[in-house]
């Protein structure tokens, strides 16, 4: 039975955390990813309210351990990147890969990173813990639980990102989905401190994820990508 570990770690204590530390107001999160034992190439989202990514990209490309920084996707004030290493600095991500862990969530918050990692079983989790001990990497374990425990988090998680959950929760609480609407998309975006486009994308992606989990028969063809209603 798979087991999930949630833990936090200071950004300065592991390679990727140090590399992605930025003086800007960027919000950084790892894409859901299953590292392989042969390759450790993280995919990560960066969100900037001002949309100015040039300095951030230049700083990473000038780092001696980065061979190449690839821009995979841009959506409003968010950009998805992939790093190709000149030399791999990342003992933490290597440990996850060697233990067959899957990154469910990895996000920088106030100088610390919060991770949610799924391992195939307790033996792999033990292997990961032993790796951390050997590398002298200290983490703070918040929760460890199995997928079969049936807690509320697992029952209602739906694989939403933290941003999608935050936006959907605010939208429901403020009456965005009611008729007539209790708040406009622009007002909702302002309250969250993000652009209107980012709010719309989070709502669409989050709602689509929830509905596909709740309505199994919906796993068919999707409609046109642009067919959404973002009117106030």
């Amino acid at each position: 039975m798979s087991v999930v570990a949630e833990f936090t770690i200071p950004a300065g204590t592991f390679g990727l955390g140090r590399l992605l530390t930025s003086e800007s107001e960027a919000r950084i999160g790892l894409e859901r990813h299953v590292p392989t034992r042969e390759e450790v190439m993280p995919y990560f989202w960066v969100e900037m309210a001002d949309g100015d990514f040039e300095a951030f990209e230049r700083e990473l490309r000038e780092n001696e351990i980065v061979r190449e920084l690839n821009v995979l996707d841009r959506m409003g004030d968010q950009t998805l990147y992939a790093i190709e290493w000149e030399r791999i600095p990342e003992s933490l991500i290597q440990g996850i890969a060697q233990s067959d862990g899957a990154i469910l969530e990895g996000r920088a918050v106030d100088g610390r990173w919060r991770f949610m990692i799924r391992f195939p079983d307790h033996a792999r989790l033990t292997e990961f813990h032993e790796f951390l001990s050997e590398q002298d990497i200290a983490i703070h374990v918040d929760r460890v639980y199995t997928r079969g425990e049936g807690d509320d988090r697992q029952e209602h998680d739906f694989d939403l990102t933290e941003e999608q959950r935050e936006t959907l929760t605010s939208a429901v609480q403020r009456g965005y989905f009611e008729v007539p609407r209790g708040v406009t998309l622009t007002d909702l975006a302002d309250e969250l401190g993000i652009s209107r486009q980012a709010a719309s994308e989070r709502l669409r992606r989050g709602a689509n994820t929830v509905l596909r989990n709740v309505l199994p028969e919906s796993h068919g063809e999707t409609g046109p990508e642009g067919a959404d209603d973002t009117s106030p």
Side-chain angles (χ1 to χ4, degrees):
M1 181 178 294
S2 64
V3 57
V4 176
E6 298 180 14
F7 62 88
T8 55
I9 179 173
T13 60
F14 70 108
L16 187 61
R18 291 191 296 272
L19 181 65
L20 297 184
T21 298
S22 173
E23 296 182 359
S24 68
E25 296 299 321
R27 300 177 65 181
I28 301 173
L30 294 183
E31 179 78 344
R32 289 172 178 267
H33 182 49
V34 180
T36 66
R37 292 172 180 263
E38 293 78 20
E39 181 179 30
V40 180
M41 185 173 70
Y43 300 85
F44 60 95
W45 286 98
V46 175
E47 179 178 335
M48 293 187 184
D50 59 8
D52 182 11
F53 296 91
E54 292 184 4
F56 178 83
E57 294 172 2
R58 182 169 57 252
E59 183 178 353
L60 260 64
R61 290 191 171 107
E62 290 176 354
N63 194 295
E64 62 181 10
I65 66 174
V66 176
R67 177 183 302 162
E68 189 171 353
L69 176 70
N70 298 306
V71 177
L72 302 182
D73 199 1
R74 292 194 191 273
M75 296 186 299
D77 54 5
Q78 298 181 76
T79 300
L80 177 64
Y81 297 98
I83 291 179
E84 294 183 17
W85 302 113
E86 189 65 44
R87 67 175 189 275
I88 297 177
E90 196 41 73
S91 54
L92 177 68
I93 303 300
Q94 279 183 305
I96 295 172
Q98 293 177 16
S99 306
D100 293 331
I103 299 173
L104 302 182
E105 181 178 322
R107 183 158 304 282
V109 180
D110 297 330
R112 301 180 67 85
W113 276 73
R114 178 180 183 275
F115 282 94
M116 181 189 299
I117 310 295
R118 184 181 66 234
F119 298 93
D121 48 42
H122 282 278
R124 288 290 189 271
L125 175 59
T126 299
E127 181 180 331
F128 176 63
H129 181 268
E130 292 173 349
F131 177 91
L132 295 180
S133 297
E134 293 172 357
Q135 298 294 321
D136 198 25
I137 299 175
I139 65 173
H140 181 275
V141 178
D142 300 309
R143 294 182 67 196
V144 175
Y145 51 92
T146 63
R147 283 295 193 178
E149 289 176 356
D151 57 32
D152 290 340
R153 179 188 181 96
Q154 292 308 308
E155 185 177 351
H156 302 292
D157 188 10
F158 296 136
D159 288 340
L160 292 171
T161 67
E162 182 178 338
E163 287 80 7
Q164 289 169 355
R165 185 179 296 106
E166 177 188 28
T167 305
L168 283 173
T169 299
S170 296
V172 171
Q173 291 175 342
R174 302 283 281 113
Y176 176 78
F177 295 107
E178 296 177 3
V179 179
R181 285 180 173 169
V183 65
T184 67
L185 182 62
T186 300
D187 289 340
L188 186 64
D190 289 342
E191 291 177 8
L192 295 171
I194 59 178
S195 69
R196 189 177 189 275
Q197 181 178 349
S200 174
E201 290 169 353
R202 290 182 185 180
L203 285 173
R204 290 175 58 195
R205 292 173 182 271
N208 184 62
T209 298
V210 172
L211 291 173
R212 284 179 174 272
N213 279 277
V214 173
L215 304 173
E217 63 272 19
S218 67
H219 289 233
E221 294 184 2
T222 58
E225 178 66 21
D228 72 320
D229 177 13
T230 58
S231 58

